[in-house]
């Protein structure tokens, strides 16, 4: 196990009706009681979450300016508009109501409001130190998926060049996040499936490490993966099952609040490759991951076959003679693909109607601002190209 420092101050309010606390929480962190209310394309108005959140803001006499219109794979241009609104209206806090896209857009606005330059500088230089005030962000999460409700990350797509890039920093961890599983009852099946796929990917990215002796986090990751593998299919059959939605929602936050990263180095190659897919073809992140992850596994497993054997045996209960490692690994990958398909997710580029004519371009773009992606196995442009070919 490696040395580590763990810090995650996101306050979590979990359970039925908790969105009614959004106003009280926002009042704690907004000294001026002047906030930006940021949301997506209307799901929160249809399912009543908007009304309950607005009522809670009014109860606390909080002045708010609304900025709706965040789309999946959130765009830089809308975040720029948010930065302008915060400056013009002297707002000091952002309440994001929705999924990862809304939260990431809110984080970008928070980072950009008091920055003298172009906030895109941060997305081009992940790791750039923050030397200015960053607004606080609070969330009411309505889809378990990205984990942005307690993560350091923000992922934004810039229309010009279709570049999807992320910035990670402690300053972006939300001050509080409300997680009410009831708000997820209205999710379309496809979004439930994409969310589950993203959560599973966050766990697998961390699981596949070359760092030895990480038993505690290995076992916690396996438990979280099994929770998703079991509960997500039930959520498709029983969308209003509170207990199942609650398991998925909490599993999703734990998967990405970095606790399960402690003492190990995660891979993240599949995420970087997927960002090129959703950047160009605008597919859901979770659907891109169900295409990329099996291909990545097939390409890299020989670099530490025992880790893949452990995954197949412990997570997918593969029972074959132990000396037959290759068969065990391939059976594990086959079961993962079968699970994705049972959830209605694509496992090949062709399943998502993505043609094979821009693979090389995506491979080159994935390493445009870094030398390589991935840590389990370092991947250069030619490796990424091979992985994308395996996904055809
Ligand atoms: O826009 P609305 O109307 O809200 O509809 C959304 C959207 O169409 C809908 N939805 C959300 N909650 C709903 C609902 N529909 C009905 N009922 C509800 N309760 O679902 C659609 C998808 O929403 P989105 O926010 O895009 O989903 P998700 O949470 O998966 O976020 C995806 C984004 O997060 C990034 C991804 O790359 C992608 O851009 N990620 C962010 C990370 C982070 N910040 O740490 C890490 C992740 O790996 C990921 O990269
Ligand atoms: Zn993800």
């Amino acid at each position: 196990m490696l040395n580590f420092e763990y810090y995650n101050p996101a306050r979590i309010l979990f359970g039925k009706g908790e969105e009614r606390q959004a106003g009280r929480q926002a009042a704690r962190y907004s000294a001026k009681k002047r906030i930006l209310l940021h949301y997506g394309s209307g799901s929160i108005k249809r399912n009543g979450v908007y009304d309950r959140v607005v009522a809670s803001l009014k109860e606390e006499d909080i002045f708010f300016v609304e900025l709706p219109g965040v789309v999946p794979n959130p765009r830089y241009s809308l975040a720029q508009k948010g930065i302008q609104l915060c400056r013009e209206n002297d707002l000091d806090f952002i309440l994001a109501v929705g999924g990862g896209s809304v939260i990431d857009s809110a984080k970008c606005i928070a980072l950009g409001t008091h920055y003298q330059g172009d906030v895109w500088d941060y997305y081009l230089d992940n790791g750039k130190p923050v030397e200015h005030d960053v607004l606080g962000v609070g969330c009411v999460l309505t889809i378990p998926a990205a984990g942005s409700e307690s993560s350091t990350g923000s992922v934004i797509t810039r229309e010009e060049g279709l570049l999807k890039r992320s910035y990670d920093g402690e300053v972006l961890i939300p001050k509080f996040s409300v997680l009410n599983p009831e708000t997820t009852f209205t999710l379309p099946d496809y979004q439930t499936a994409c969310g589950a796929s993203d959560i599973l990917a966050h766990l697998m990215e961390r699981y596949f490490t070359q760092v030895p002796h990480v038993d505690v986090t290995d076992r916690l990751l396996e438990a979280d993966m099994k929770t998703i593998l079991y509960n997500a299919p039930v959520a498709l059959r029983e969308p209003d099952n509170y207990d199942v939605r609650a398991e998925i929602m909490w599993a999703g936050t734990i998967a990405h609040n970095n606790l399960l990263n402690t003492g190990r180095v995660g891979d993240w190659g599949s995420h970087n490759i997927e960002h090129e897919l959703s950047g160009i073809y605008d597919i859901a992140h979770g659907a891109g991951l169900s295409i990329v992850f099996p291909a990545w596994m097939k390409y890299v497993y020989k670099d530490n076959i025992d880790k893949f054997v452990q995954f197949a045996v412990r997570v997918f209960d593969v029972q074959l003679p132990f000396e037959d490692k290759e068969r065990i690994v391939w059976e594990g990958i086959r079961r993962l693909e079968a699970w994705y398909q049972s959830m209605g997710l694509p496992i090949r580029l062709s399943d998502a109607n993505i043609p094979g004519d821009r693979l090389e371009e995506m491979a080159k773009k994935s390493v445009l601002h870094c030398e390589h992606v991935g840590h389990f196995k370092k991947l250069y442009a030619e490796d990424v190209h091979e992985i994308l070919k395996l996904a055809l």
Side-chain angles (χ1 to χ4, degrees), residues 41-43 100-101 104 142 148 151 153 164 183 186 202 256 271 275 285:
S41 308
S43 68
S101 296
D104 285 1
T142 62
S148 190
S151 82
K164 184 173 182 179
T183 65
T186 53
H202 294 161
H256 207 44
H271 261 72
H275 285 170
H285 174 59

Side-chain angles (χ1 to χ4, degrees), residues 8-14 96-104 106-107 137-154 172-180 184 195 198-199 202 224 246-258:
N8 194 314
R11 183 185 305 278
I12 304 293
L13 295 100
F14 191 99
V97 186
S101 296
V102 177
I103 302 170
D104 285 1
K107 289 177 175 180
V137 171
C139 318
V140 176
L141 182 69
T142 62
I143 170 173
S148 190
E149 67 275 13
S150 70
S151 82
T152 51
S154 162
L172 297 187
I173 298 174
K175 302 288 180 214
F176 70 86
S177 287
V178 173
L179 279 60
N180 175 359
T184 70
D198 193 17
I199 296 168
H202 294 161
D224 215 359
E247 301 288 358
I248 298 169
M249 204 165 203
W250 190 221
T253 300
I254 291 170
H256 207 44
N257 69 2
N258 273 342

Side-chain angles (χ1 to χ4, degrees), residues 26-43:
R28 287 175 76 166
Y29 298 103
S30 169
K32 296 176 182 165
K33 285 194 162 191
R34 296 175 68 82
I35 74 166
L36 183 75
L37 178 60
H38 201 26
Y39 53 95
S41 308
S43 68

